[in-house]
Amino acid sequence: MTIEECKNAWQLEKKDFEAFLMIDKSLSKNTLDAYVHDVNILQEYLLEYKKMIILPQDVQEGVLQDFLYYLTMDIGLSSTSQNRLVSGIKAFYKSMLYNDKIETNPIDVID
């Protein structure tokens, strides 16, 4: 798989995620935009920073733990901002679970 194919797969999942949020969650436009932005941060971390060619459904708990460590230690994100970002990532994987694209939510065990 090429990096472009991987980016396209992420884009499709984010579009499905936006539809999930609009239909199932009745969130404000600001919250919806923030959640999608959170997924963009995860995607950028994986594809650009870590140079991983990984599909959203293949992300595992350990990768997400590394991501959270990066946010805290390398970026210096506050715990409040980190918790908000984790909410967006959890919602993203919840939508994938809801749409039968994954069997378990890899971020559920992380708090």
Side-chain angles (χ1 to χ4, degrees):
M1 170 175 287
T2 68
I3 189 73
E4 286 307 313
E5 291 170 327
C6 189
K7 286 180 180 180
N8 289 338
W10 277 88
Q11 275 306 116
L12 290 173
E13 289 303 331
K14 286 187 285 186
K15 285 183 189 264
D16 288 349
F17 179 46
E18 285 183 80
F20 172 81
L21 292 175
M22 288 174 22
I23 294 167
D24 294 336
K25 294 291 185 183
S26 300
L27 299 174
S28 73
K29 174 77 169 127
N30 287 345
T31 302
L32 190 144
D33 290 345
Y35 277 14
V36 172
H37 181 259
D38 297 340
V39 177
N40 287 336
I41 292 170
L42 174 61
Q43 177 188 348
E44 183 177 314
Y45 167 78
L46 295 172
L47 303 182
E48 306 298 331
Y49 181 75
K50 295 296 278 184
K51 306 292 186 205
M52 297 175 74
I53 297 178
I54 187 168
L55 298 172
Q57 62 267 27
D58 295 332
V59 173
Q60 298 295 312
E61 175 187 342
V63 172
L64 292 171
Q65 287 175 330
D66 290 345
F67 173 63
L68 296 178
Y69 181 85
Y70 164 79
L71 294 174
T72 304
M73 303 308 284
D74 293 352
I75 301 296
L77 200 63
S78 72
S79 60
T80 302
S81 295
Q82 185 177 348
N83 288 337
R84 223 239 9 98
L85 194 142
V86 167
S87 293
I89 303 297
K90 279 186 177 185
F92 176 67
Y93 281 104
K94 183 177 181 180
S95 76
M96 290 184 69
L97 191 64
Y98 179 82
N99 290 318
D100 294 323
K101 295 181 180 183
I102 56 173
E103 292 182 15
T104 59
N105 188 333
I107 200 163
D108 269 350
V109 297
I110 300 171
D111 280 322

